[in-house]
Amino acid sequence: MQMLKIVALLLEYPEKALWEEREELCALVAQRAPMLQGFVDGWLGGALLDRQSEWCETFDRGCATSLLLFEHVHGESRDRGQAMVDLLAQYEQAGLLLNCRELPDYLPLYLEYLSLQPEPAARQGLQDVAPILALLGGRLQQRGSAFSQLFDALLVWADSPLRSSSVAAQVSKEPRDDTRQALDAVWEEAQIKFIDDRAQECDSAPEKAHQQRIQQQTMPQYLDLSAGGAK
């Protein structure tokens, strides 16, 4: 399943080696994954430094377009930790050994794992995360990012009825979490009062301030995997 490896490579942070070997990659795409040709020509046609900056703007600002799959289902709950443990066990069973650089739910890593599986199992693996792929693709499409093409290509290959457009109504109602105001709200430090008229409230003041800031923070909705999607 060469296409899965190609998409995994294209979703990774742009490295110099990829630009040095772009002619070989373009030839491989033309032969094995022609549906990706338009994206590859456009992406590799830009300057490396520009693409590195664009990648960071796309995937590192906020969490709405994070490439960590379970971020869009579990957030920071305990369920996410258990889900990653289970996924790591699948990787180890398939002989895929990880270093400490990436979390198990990092999408390019998951695609690399699926590329090692028999085709039916690989398709099922993509279908299992199809709602997440559609959600990511929809958010990227709304932001005018060509990366949405990669997510639709995965959905097509998986024979999923979902597409980036399937969640257009949902993502159109979400507040952006990559704006300067939203990012400032995340990193804003809670104001701590060191002197208070009521001593018993001193200990709880920082916690209350933190909770209030989180409630006001711009955040995307987590994905409800039980909800169906239109074509």
Side-chain angles (χ1 to χ4, degrees):
M1 273 116 347
Q2 197 73 40
M3 195 201 80
L4 298 183
K5 290 187 176 182
I6 293 173
V7 174
L9 184 63
L10 294 172
L11 284 174
E12 287 276 15
Y13 178 78
E15 299 286 358
K16 183 179 179 180
L18 181 61
W19 258 246
E20 292 175 342
E21 300 174 2
R22 56 186 168 186
E23 291 185 5
E24 292 84 348
L25 178 59
C26 288
L28 181 62
V29 168
Q31 181 182 7
R32 300 294 182 88
M35 69 174 65
L36 303 178
Q37 192 70 60
F39 176 85
V40 171
D41 290 343
W43 183 244
L44 297 182
L48 175 58
L49 290 178
D50 292 339
R51 294 311 192 203
Q52 289 175 335
S53 176
E54 183 178 344
W55 189 94
C56 291
E57 290 286 328
T58 302
F59 296 115
D60 273 356
R61 289 174 65 93
C63 62
T65 55
S66 169
L67 292 176
L68 298 174
L69 293 170
F70 296 149
E71 172 70 26
H72 306 286
V73 181
H74 303 300
E76 298 300 328
S77 70
R78 294 180 180 178
D79 292 338
R80 182 181 181 185
Q82 185 58 55
M84 287 197 289
V85 169
D86 295 342
L87 186 56
L88 183 60
Q90 293 182 39
Y91 291 166
E92 293 176 347
Q93 186 175 5
L96 183 61
L97 301 179
L98 308 187
N99 55 33
C100 60
R101 182 179 178 183
E102 298 295 353
L103 294 174
D105 62 337
Y106 184 55
L107 178 55
L109 182 60
Y110 183 65
L111 294 176
E112 179 70 21
Y113 158 71
L114 292 182
S115 73
L116 302 175
Q117 305 305 303
E119 185 169 323
R123 290 186 188 276
Q124 183 60 56
L126 283 181
Q127 290 173 6
D128 290 343
V129 298
I132 305 176
L133 299 178
L135 182 68
L136 282 167
R139 287 170 175 166
L140 292 167
Q141 189 177 76
Q142 185 189 45
R143 299 179 185 192
S145 172
F147 274 104
S148 64
Q149 299 173 32
L150 299 184
F151 291 87
D152 279 332
L154 290 173
L155 291 167
V156 169
W157 190 86
D159 293 328
S160 170
L162 296 173
R163 299 291 183 271
S164 297
S165 57
S166 301
V167 296
Q170 175 183 344
V171 299
S172 65
K173 299 176 183 178
E174 290 181 339
R176 292 282 292 262
D177 74 335
D178 61 336
T179 63
R180 178 173 296 179
Q181 293 81 1
L183 293 171
D184 286 346
V186 173
W187 293 106
E188 181 186 26
E189 293 184 358
Q191 181 179 0
I192 300 176
K193 294 181 65 176
F194 291 97
I195 300 177
D196 199 306
D197 294 337
R198 290 172 293 181
Q200 68 267 23
E201 293 187 0
C202 288
D203 293 336
S204 63
E207 180 180 355
K208 288 181 179 179
H210 174 73
Q211 291 175 346
Q212 182 179 16
R213 188 174 71 258
I214 293 298
Q215 292 171 354
Q216 296 173 349
Q217 179 177 315
T218 302
M219 293 287 286
Q221 298 177 356
Y222 291 134
L223 182 63
D224 181 3
L225 288 177
S226 64
K231 290 185 180 181

